Amino acid sequence: MTKVGVLTSGGDAPGMNAAIRAAVRNGIANGMKMYGIERGYEGLIDGDIYEMDIASVGDIIHRGGTKLQTARSKRFMTEEGLDKAVMMIQNFGLDAVIVIGGEGSFKGAATLADRGINVMCVPCTIDNDMGYTDTTIGFDTAVNTVLSAIGNIRDTSSSHERTTIIEVMGRSCGDIALYAGLAGGAESVLIPELPFDLNAVCMRIVQGRNRGKKHNIIIKAEGVNIETNELADMIHERTGVDTKVVVLGYLQRGGTPTASDRLFATRASFKAIELIRDGASNRAIGLAGMEIVHYPLKEAIEIPTRPATDFLRLIDVLS
Ligand code: F6P
């Protein structure tokens, strides 16, 4: 009987639970034995591995976080840790491992593939920083969380006639900022991929004021190379407008996954099981338009991210 392990690794993202559920249930439907691996590669090294049945993934499709826990494993990056992980996979007789996570987790999976382990990778990160797939699981939910924050902040920003800088996550990718900024009607969006012009940002604030605008929302991606409070001081100095900072932080990682994140997670894991059943190995599963697609893992990792920088032009015209 085919035995398949499932793990979630790296930063948690809404939709991980939906991905776990689909893997476990479709695996069992295909006559496989399914095993949960706790805390990502950490649990793999420690052998925290247990069999999962259909009921074990009940009531999780709508929940953020991950039932299997997650971790960023430093030990797995060492030769000793990797050896132990491979040994555990062999001890438990796992024929394949489904890795649900982001870029770092995929790279970890590739090192397992180099040791002859069959890995199937499901892209799950709020950052949307994986070039081979149109989107990543968790991104849509995170953008909606930021949108809801923008709405609240806009109310108070207008009431006090302030500028507010909202710092969002995304590591070195500006997509959360770009999508939320465009959908939320932000005045300016600052991303790590392109330099920004402080004069233009300040000019926009002053011009907005002059035509009676009460608020000014700036979305700044965390990867932009300037400290957010420092930026607020500079804007205040140049415009004379009271400028506040809101760092959304981990708020963006939690919450109930949106329909599109649940659908992608469910379809991607379902496909991972079909690929294992059909004898495929070492694939990265993604979304191209409405289609679930899959590529050789190592090729997929090499494809550069394509941030939605064209959104900046729209934001510029529309805000
Ligand atoms: O990759 C997801 C993410 O939330 C990034 O946006 C952020 O830079 C990072 O993880 C934070 O990592 P940690 O959970 O280790 O603080």
Side-chain angles (χ1 to χ4, degrees):
M1 186 186 260
T2 304
K3 293 181 174 179
V4 178
V6 185
L7 63 82
T8 51
S9 163
D12 62 325
M16 277 184 162
N17 277 325
I20 296 167
R21 171 181 176 270
V24 170
R25 291 203 170 158
N26 196 30
I28 292 169
N30 277 276
M32 301 172 185
K33 265 193 174 201
M34 299 302 298
Y35 292 83
I37 302 165
E38 291 217 318
R39 293 174 289 108
Y41 296 120
E42 280 289 292
L44 185 56
I45 292 168
D46 293 335
D48 290 337
I49 301 170
Y50 55 90
E51 194 177 340
M52 295 181 88
D53 61 13
I54 288 174
S56 69
V57 289
D59 202 28
I60 63 169
I61 193 169
H62 58 299
R63 295 189 198 280
T66 161
K67 183 186 171 64
L68 289 173
Q69 312 296 124
T70 187
R72 300 189 192 279
S73 177
K74 290 214 169 73
R75 285 193 293 159
F76 186 69
M77 291 176 189
T78 65
E79 207 59 25
E80 198 192 340
L82 184 59
D83 285 346
K84 277 193 184 157
V86 171
M87 202 183 71
M88 284 299 171
I89 290 170
Q90 286 160 352
N91 287 353
F92 279 83
L94 300 180
D95 299 291
V97 177
I98 297 177
V99 173
I100 302 167
E103 196 205 359
S105 308
F106 276 34
K107 286 186 176 148
T111 62
L112 285 176
D114 285 339
R115 299 287 192 100
I117 308 294
N118 187 12
V119 285
M120 288 294 157
C121 295
V122 174
C124 220
T125 164
I126 64 164
D127 297 339
N128 206 34
D129 59 351
M130 304 179 87
Y132 79 93
T133 175
D134 282 359
T135 189
T136 57
I137 298 156
F139 172 67
D140 186 59
T141 307
V143 168
N144 278 290
T145 302
V146 175
L147 271 182
S148 148
I150 292 174
N152 289 7
I153 290 163
R154 189 196 278 265
D155 289 345
T156 171
S157 190
S158 295
S159 305
H160 288 266
E161 299 177 57
R162 284 171 175 159
T163 287
T164 306
I165 306 174
I166 304 176
E167 185 188 295
V168 300
M169 280 186 166
R171 213 178 279 276
S172 56
C173 181
D175 271 5
I176 295 179
L178 288 163
Y179 278 68
L182 181 57
E187 274 65 34
S188 302
V189 173
L190 315 182
I191 56 168
E193 291 87 349
L194 291 174
F196 72 95
D197 178 355
L198 182 59
N199 280 333
V201 172
C202 291
M203 187 72 83
R204 187 169 285 272
I205 294 171
V206 172
Q207 284 170 344
R209 278 253 143 151
N210 291 344
R211 65 181 163 96
K213 222 175 196 185
K214 301 258 180 277
H215 63 266
N216 192 285
I217 304 285
I218 299 169
I219 310 291
K220 174 184 173 280
E222 64 177 354
V224 175
N225 203 8
I226 181 170
E227 211 274 309
T228 309
N229 284 307
E230 200 181 309
L231 177 65
D233 290 344
M234 288 160 83
I235 291 173
H236 180 226
E237 243 167 58
R238 291 184 188 212
T239 61
V241 177
D242 196 11
T243 304
K244 299 290 181 191
V245 169
V246 178
V247 178
L248 293 182
Y250 295 106
L251 196 78
Q252 295 157 92
R253 288 240 294 258
T256 186
T258 58
S260 58
D261 278 335
R262 292 187 210 188
L263 287 170
F264 183 17
T266 299
R267 294 173 72 207
S269 280
F270 198 89
K271 175 56 90 179
I273 291 293
E274 289 180 339
L275 288 167
I276 295 167
R277 179 199 64 198
D278 298 343
S281 54
N282 307 330
R283 310 292 291 179
I285 296 151
L287 196 66
M290 294 300 286
E291 297 302 314
I292 294 292
V293 290
H294 52 92
Y295 306 98
L297 175 60
K298 286 197 177 160
E299 282 175 31
I301 290 173
E302 293 306 320
I303 296 175
T305 318
R306 291 158 293 139
T309 46
D310 52 317
F311 282 12
L312 286 175
R313 195 171 58 81
L314 281 73
I315 290 162
D316 202 39
V317 173
L318 299 175
S319 67

